[in-house]
């Protein structure tokens, strides 16, 4: 049999992946994984996820979402995006609460080098509709819905899921 000439990913031990203070694993003692290159000091990570967080579908959902976003942006060193991000995320969460119903909404935040991605998942499969009536909003609190999201974000969109939908927006860093 001939060997495959394609390079194989390096094999790292679990102890090395967990860190020096982590207890040793009984078995398996090795795991296949791709070795990550160290970024230069101070360089942002290519992406930094915050797993999906579920908040109750009530009038306090937008406040919970704003606190999550504030903590994430502070961690990523992007505090200057807080006002725009809060307006966009509050609108997405508010739409999910007003129009989708359900017991909770899922919020996912992550970033790439040049974008912060905000998404809200709910249980309704009804897609949102962007109304292009009047001039673009000057204030995100004026009830203009997705028109505000469209004007404040780099891009936005929707995804149909097996049990609902996800509405997302990306803000340029």
């Amino acid at each position: 049999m001939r060997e495959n000439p394609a390079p194989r990913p390096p094999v790292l031990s679990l102890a090395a992946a967990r860190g020096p203070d982590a207890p040793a694993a009984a078995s398996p003692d090795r795991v296949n994984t791709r070795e990550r290159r160290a970024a230069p000091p101070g360089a942002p990570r290519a992406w930094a996820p915050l797993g999906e967080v579920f908040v109750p579908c009530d009038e306090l959902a937008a406040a919970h979402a704003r606190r999550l976003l504030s903590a994430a942006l502070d961690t990523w060193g992007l505090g200057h995006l807080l006002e725009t991000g809060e307006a966009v995320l509050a609108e997405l969460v508010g739409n999910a609460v007003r129009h989708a119903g359900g017991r909770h909404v899922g919020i996912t935040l992550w970033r790439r080098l040049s974008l912060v991605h905000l998404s809200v998942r709910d249980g309704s499969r009804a897609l949102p509709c962007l109304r292009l009536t009047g001039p673009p909003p000057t204030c995100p609190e004026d009830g203009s819905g997705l028109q505000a999201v469209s004007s404040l974000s780099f891009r936005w969109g929707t995804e149909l899921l097996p049990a609902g939908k996800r509405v997302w927006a990306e803000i340029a860093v």
Side-chain angles (χ1 to χ4, degrees):
M1 222 176 186
R2 209 171 84 170
E3 286 270 329
N4 184 356
R8 295 176 53 187
V11 177
L12 301 176
S13 72
L14 285 176
R18 284 192 315 263
D21 299 334
S27 94
D29 63 347
R30 297 175 77 78
V31 76
N32 286 330
T33 184
R34 295 194 188 276
E35 188 175 287
R36 293 186 179 163
R37 293 183 184 156
R45 292 175 51 184
W47 63 280
L50 174 64
E52 187 169 33
V53 176
F54 293 92
V55 298
C57 192
D58 59 17
E59 65 276 354
L60 298 176
H64 291 304
R66 284 192 295 267
R67 281 195 295 275
L68 287 169
L69 180 65
S70 176
L73 290 177
D74 284 346
T75 300
W76 298 331
L78 299 174
H80 62 282
L81 297 176
L82 185 60
E83 186 176 336
T84 302
E86 282 182 339
V88 170
L89 188 59
E91 188 60 47
L92 296 179
V93 170
N95 284 346
V97 169
R98 277 189 301 278
H99 303 296
R103 293 177 48 193
H104 61 270
V105 294
I107 300 166
T108 306
L109 309 172
W110 53 273
R111 95 168 265 212
R112 291 188 209 177
L113 291 175
S114 61
L115 295 171
V116 173
H117 182 92
L118 319 168
S119 72
V120 176
R121 184 170 62 95
D122 61 52
S124 170
R125 289 184 50 89
L127 292 175
C129 184
L130 174 62
R131 294 185 187 143
L132 296 174
T133 57
T138 57
C139 175
E141 290 84 22
D142 66 1
S144 52
L146 288 176
Q147 191 176 8
V149 171
S150 180
S151 67
L152 293 171
S153 63
F154 175 68
R155 62 184 174 187
W156 71 278
T158 60
E159 293 177 68
L160 275 179
L161 304 172
K165 70 175 172 299
R166 177 176 290 119
V167 182
W168 56 269
E170 291 179 334
I171 300 169
V173 172

